[in-house]
């Protein structure tokens, strides 16, 4: 019987000013905050923590990509080994 074990790799990077970039993109977007949060799948409180860069943990790359998609922007964040599927 062949079994496989999955291994998780976690890498965190710090991007200076990303919260402010996200805030400015939101302010330049025609969508309401409620609509943005709904499309990204986060609460308003969590969104404000992103903008203020006060998250208790790190922003996941998945959520960053959702934010970019919903706001129609590219913040230029690329992680080594990230799939572009």
């Amino acid at each position: 019987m062949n079994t496989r074990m999955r291994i998780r790799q976690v890498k965190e990077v710090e991007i200076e000013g990303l919260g402010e970039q996200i805030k400015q993109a939101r302010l330049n977007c025609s969508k309401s905050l409620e609509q943005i949060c709904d499309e990204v799948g986060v609460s308003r409180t969590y969104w404000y923590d992103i903008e203020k860069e006060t998250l208790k943990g790190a922003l996941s790359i998945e959520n960053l990509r959702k934010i970019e998609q919903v706001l129609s922007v590219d913040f230029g964040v690329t992680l080594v080994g990230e799939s572009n599927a």
Side-chain angles (χ1 to χ4, degrees):
M1 179 169 140
N2 290 333
T3 60
R4 296 181 185 186
M5 180 181 296
R6 297 184 325 178
I7 299 173
R8 180 184 317 222
Q9 178 184 16
V10 177
K11 178 177 175 84
E12 292 185 10
V13 295
E14 291 185 11
I15 308 295
E16 187 173 337
L18 183 59
E20 183 62 27
Q21 290 178 49
I22 291 171
K23 179 179 179 179
Q24 289 306 313
R26 173 181 61 83
L27 294 174
N28 292 327
C29 179
S30 61
K31 299 178 183 180
S32 69
L33 177 60
E34 291 77 15
Q35 184 178 3
I36 292 168
C37 290
D38 185 52
E39 290 182 31
V40 173
V42 298
S43 69
R44 288 174 50 148
T45 301
Y46 189 80
W47 184 271
Y48 285 128
D49 286 342
I50 292 170
E51 289 186 355
K52 293 184 291 184
E53 298 183 7
T54 57
L55 290 175
K56 296 204 186 319
L59 177 64
S60 72
I61 193 68
E62 293 83 6
N63 278 345
L64 177 61
R65 296 301 178 233
K66 288 178 191 175
I67 291 168
E68 289 177 324
Q69 182 178 21
V70 169
L71 298 178
S72 300
V73 295
D74 179 355
F75 295 111
V77 176
T78 304
L79 299 180
V80 175
E82 180 183 10
S83 68
N84 294 326

